[in-house]
Amino acid sequence: MHTTASASLSDLWDRVVGTQSAPDQWLVIATGVVALAAVVPHGVWRVARNAVTIAHEGGHGLVALLTGRRLDGIRLHSDTSGLTVSRGKPSGLGMILTAAAGYTAPPLLGLGGAALLSQGHITAFLWIATALLAAMLVMIRNAYGALTMILAGGAFLVVSWLASTDVQAAFAYAVVWFLLLGGVRPAFELQAKRRHGGAGDSDADQLARLTHVPAGIWLFLFHAVSLCSLIGGARWLLTV
């Protein structure tokens, strides 16, 4: 029995770290079109944006921990806004990096996912995403946020465990395309709000107060990261 268990664990490990065959080019393009259809229409985006909010707030939380701050909790709201609360020095590099991580997290996660998929690590991507969602769930502090995380994590878990190879590939590529494409729109939305005098306490404005660098420069950084990630990620995805 011990030998059988060891063999099963070995097979599972090989499955996770191993590579899978690249999907047909039409599937890669089709999943990109599906992701674009979730980002461009306003009505669909209002719902789909919840996934970007998860990545946004997860970015704040992860960088807060990596820079030595204490993460108190994360809240996700039905209007697709979110809030990450951490404790530590109210200024300095750690606070700056934490504030800058929100808008840059979704496109950078998409870029990392594209790198994994371009090397055939479809299952590894799904498992890493599931682990990150599970870790974030522990820090959620409101009911809507918990429900959102359970549904998202459950989807990844079901696909990674039960779905066929083709379904896993389609799901993984759709998610990565969505992170890349969906990571671009929030910065433009923030720019529009600031142009009309709104979002006075946005990440860009917080960074301006922390660094004395104009909020417009930080907004330009958000645009640069998201657009460069989209270009680089798309090249990886389309050249498999």
Side-chain angles (χ1 to χ4, degrees):
M1 183 177 294
H2 178 72
T3 302
T4 302
S6 298
S8 298
L9 289 174
S10 178
D11 291 341
L12 181 61
W13 178 252
D14 291 339
R15 178 186 173 192
V16 174
V17 301
T19 59
Q20 293 75 45
S21 300
D24 294 332
Q25 190 76 355
W26 71 264
L27 180 63
V28 177
I29 296 173
T31 53
V33 172
V34 170
L36 189 63
V39 173
V40 175
H42 181 70
V44 180
W45 173 246
R46 287 181 62 186
V47 177
R49 199 182 193 280
N50 282 284
V52 175
T53 302
I54 291 174
H56 180 114
E57 299 303 330
H60 283 313
L62 178 60
V63 173
L65 291 174
L66 292 176
T67 55
R69 299 181 63 79
R70 177 181 174 182
L71 183 59
D72 282 350
I74 299 172
R75 292 177 176 268
L76 305 174
H77 304 132
S78 58
D79 62 355
T80 73
S81 65
L83 176 67
T84 299
V85 179
S86 63
R87 295 184 186 180
K89 188 177 178 181
S91 60
L93 183 60
M95 188 61 202
I96 293 170
L97 292 176
T98 298
Y103 280 92
T104 56
L108 289 178
L109 286 171
L111 184 64
L116 284 173
L117 297 186
S118 70
Q119 298 299 315
H121 293 293
I122 297 172
T123 302
F125 167 75
L126 293 173
W127 279 56
I128 291 171
T130 303
L132 290 174
L133 288 169
M136 187 174 170
L137 175 60
V138 176
M139 299 307 303
I140 295 295
R141 295 293 181 265
N142 67 322
Y144 179 83
L147 177 61
T148 301
M149 295 302 301
I150 290 171
L151 291 175
F156 274 89
L157 188 61
V158 168
V159 171
S160 61
W161 271 102
L162 303 177
S164 66
T165 302
D166 290 339
V167 172
Q168 287 189 4
F171 183 79
Y173 274 81
V175 168
V176 170
W177 273 120
F178 179 76
L179 287 171
L180 292 170
L181 293 165
V184 172
R185 183 164 177 171
F188 283 99
E189 291 177 333
L190 175 58
Q191 183 176 1
K193 288 180 181 178
R194 296 190 74 258
R195 187 183 300 119
H196 293 91
D201 198 36
S202 70
D203 292 355
D205 293 282
Q206 291 182 41
L207 285 163
R209 291 192 290 270
L210 287 166
T211 64
H212 305 293
V213 174
I217 300 298
W218 288 106
L219 189 57
F220 174 81
L221 174 66
F222 298 159
H223 282 307
V225 171
S226 62
L227 291 172
C228 288
S229 295
L230 174 59
I231 294 170
R235 289 186 63 182
W236 273 333
L237 294 176
L238 293 172
T239 54
V240 295

